[in-house]
Amino acid sequence: MSGAIVTEIDYIKLAISSTVSSVAAERRFPSHITVRELKRKLEMITGASMDTMKIEIFNDQNKSIGKLTDDDAILKNVLTSDIRLHVTDPSAANFEDVSEVQKYEMTKEDYEKREDSVQAFKKRNKMGRFNPEVQAKLAKQAEENKERALKMKVGDRCEARTPNQPARRGEVAFVGEVEFKDGHWVGIKFDEPVGKHDGMVEGKRYFKCNNKYGAFCQPRFVEVGDFPPELDFSDDEI
């Protein structure tokens, strides 16, 4: 149309970050709008309230160079392209930080009552430990562990013969039931650092030894008797 005047709008490209969301965004804004209008747009981007948000300016070296405090200022007079605006809003909830969110924890009793759980499914289909044959095997192992544990005492020399591991010698440091597993267990203080801990498991101390010298074994895998420390002759030959 003849005589029409076309005005080209200048834009400022800005990176936007905020404490409300960890997702950074890059946006272009008309250079002629005010800071107040910018805040209205940032409210849609970050979720922070335009009435309470604070805007800090960072350069391309990630160094703070000031803050936007004048709502009536024109963008092109206070900002340049390729800088970052960081938006904070003390009144906004941070939905990405769940550290303070109270978590629902189901009790063992309530879980046992549920019919839609994995455990209920295994029970119905007699899978895993709910298989009668598996239950019978576990019961037999538990009885064997109890009988063998009754024949052991703290201070006995022993040799652990856990499946798929080499025999390890040491001294019985604990015999009895524990909180981290069902049944009877033997705590062993090994002669060498071939264990897993120092006698403390899940915050409870059952016995004391150097780190990596302690471990718990099922009694059925432990023999007590004349098992003196094995001598190391590695330095006697070359």
Side-chain angles (χ1 to χ4, degrees):
M1 183 167 55
S2 60
I5 300 176
V6 178
T7 302
E8 184 176 349
I9 299 177
D10 291 329
Y11 289 89
I12 297 177
K13 185 175 68 174
L14 302 170
I16 309 299
S17 62
S18 75
T19 54
V20 179
S21 172
S22 62
V23 179
E26 190 174 273
R27 295 287 190 274
R28 294 197 313 157
F29 300 94
S31 62
H32 66 273
I33 65 174
T34 64
V35 171
R36 181 178 290 102
E37 292 173 298
L38 172 66
K39 285 184 175 181
R40 185 174 294 110
K41 295 178 182 297
L42 292 178
E43 184 177 56
M44 301 296 295
I45 297 172
T46 67
S49 170
M50 65 173 290
D51 296 324
T52 56
M53 72 170 59
K54 306 294 182 183
I55 305 175
E56 190 169 3
I57 309 169
F58 289 82
N59 61 16
D60 57 359
Q61 302 297 317
N62 203 34
K63 181 179 179 181
S64 176
I65 57 175
K67 297 181 180 180
L68 288 182
T69 57
D70 184 359
D71 286 350
D72 296 321
I74 304 299
L75 250 57
K76 64 182 178 180
N77 297 331
V78 293
L79 296 176
T80 59
S81 288
D82 300 321
I83 60 176
R84 177 170 64 90
L85 301 183
H86 185 67
V87 180
T88 59
D89 184 359
S91 67
N94 187 349
F95 294 104
E96 296 191 349
D97 181 8
V98 297
S99 61
E100 299 300 322
V101 177
Q102 185 176 359
K103 300 175 180 60
Y104 172 71
E105 295 185 1
M106 184 180 298
T107 64
K108 183 178 180 180
E109 291 74 18
D110 288 339
Y111 183 71
E112 293 280 354
K113 296 176 183 177
R114 294 184 67 96
E115 297 182 357
D116 58 350
S117 65
V118 174
Q119 178 174 283
F121 175 81
K122 289 183 175 180
K123 282 183 177 179
R124 288 193 297 270
N125 293 277
K126 298 181 178 179
M127 299 170 61
R129 63 188 178 92
F130 301 107
N131 184 314
E133 293 182 0
V134 174
Q135 290 178 334
K137 182 179 179 180
L138 292 175
K140 183 178 179 180
Q141 291 177 354
E143 186 60 29
E144 181 184 356
N145 282 331
K146 182 178 180 180
E147 291 178 357
R148 293 180 67 87
L150 292 175
K151 299 176 182 178
M152 302 178 188
K153 64 180 183 299
V154 173
D156 283 346
R157 290 293 302 175
C158 65
E159 186 172 81
R161 300 169 183 173
T162 308
N164 302 319
Q165 292 194 41
R168 297 168 292 168
R169 291 187 178 184
E171 180 181 301
V172 174
F174 175 91
V175 182
E177 295 182 286
V178 295
E179 293 184 1
F180 58 87
K181 286 282 187 179
D182 292 332
H184 289 71
W185 290 79
V186 179
I188 302 175
K189 181 168 60 176
F190 290 116
D191 298 331
E192 302 291 337
V194 291
K196 295 184 177 181
H197 47 70
D198 64 353
M200 179 181 289
V201 179
E202 296 182 357
K204 180 173 180 177
R205 181 164 296 286
Y206 294 91
F207 60 93
K208 190 173 183 179
C209 65
N210 292 332
N211 193 31
K212 300 299 182 181
Y213 278 77
F216 279 93
C217 300
Q218 295 186 49
R220 62 196 179 98
F221 297 132
V222 180
E223 290 289 339
V224 295
D226 184 18
F227 294 107
E230 294 181 318
L231 298 179
D232 183 2
F233 297 103
S234 59
D235 294 334
D236 295 340
E237 297 181 359
I238 297 177

